[in-house]
Amino acid sequence: MKEFNVIIDNTIKLVGSNMVERIITDTGYFDSVEDISGQLNVENTMGFNVFSIVPMIHEEGDMKNQEDHIIPGNNEGMEDLLYRSVENYLEIALEEILEELKVQLAVQNVTSNYSIIDVEDGVNAILYLYFGDYYLH
């Protein structure tokens, strides 16, 4: 777990990665969330290893529309499609997570990024949250 002070509405508030982990879990996008913030050497950054088993192509129609772009017998086209689906999923999830941080913690200046670890069995990625100007050195 990692904690640091942030300035919110001219007051100092302690924000812990356990609070952020709960918010990520409560959004329902991920089956498991692991706080890895203590392993990061950047003071104003939190990190979370996330995993979710989700259908990457939500409807059969989506797959039919993509079949024209996939060469039969070539898994690269399918892997690209799967990777793009995971990227879209993570971007939607992070948008909601950032919104919840703003609502629940009143923190406005938080940005995010992610690193995809694996896409074969679901979404496995690391989410990074940067607390920007609010961080007190």
Side-chain angles (χ1 to χ4, degrees):
M1 184 178 85
K2 184 185 256 186
E3 295 180 322
F4 48 81
N5 291 316
V6 295
I7 300 172
I8 300 172
D9 295 329
N10 295 323
T11 61
I12 297 173
K13 182 176 181 178
L14 185 66
V15 174
S17 58
N18 59 337
M19 299 163 70
V20 176
E21 180 180 11
R22 187 185 75 247
I23 290 171
I24 294 170
T25 301
D26 289 349
T27 63
Y29 282 97
F30 304 104
D31 297 320
S32 68
V33 179
E34 178 188 4
D35 181 4
I36 60 167
S37 301
Q39 299 171 22
L40 303 177
N41 291 328
V42 182
E43 293 181 8
N44 61 340
T45 303
M46 293 182 185
F48 302 89
N49 189 348
V50 296
F51 179 77
S52 182
I53 299 173
V54 295
M56 290 295 99
I57 301 169
H58 296 287
E59 296 182 15
E60 189 176 317
D62 292 340
M63 186 59 187
K64 287 181 182 175
N65 292 335
Q66 297 297 330
E67 284 176 357
D68 295 335
H69 304 291
I70 299 172
I71 300 168
N74 184 352
N75 285 338
E76 286 183 31
M78 186 57 137
E79 288 174 9
D80 289 344
L81 176 62
L82 190 58
Y83 192 83
R84 284 193 309 266
S85 294
V86 169
E87 287 180 320
N88 290 337
Y89 187 84
L90 290 171
E91 289 171 13
I92 291 167
L94 277 169
E95 186 176 311
E96 186 171 329
I97 290 164
L98 292 177
E99 187 61 34
E100 285 300 314
L101 286 170
K102 291 175 184 177
V103 169
Q104 292 186 35
L105 300 180
V107 177
Q108 298 298 315
N109 194 16
V110 179
T111 58
S112 62
N113 203 347
Y114 59 84
S115 295
I116 297 174
I117 298 171
D118 186 26
V119 298
E120 297 215 8
D121 297 321
V123 175
N124 189 1
I126 297 176
L127 307 181
Y128 300 98
L129 300 171
Y130 308 98
F131 283 80
D133 297 339
Y134 288 101
Y135 178 69
L136 295 178
H137 298 277

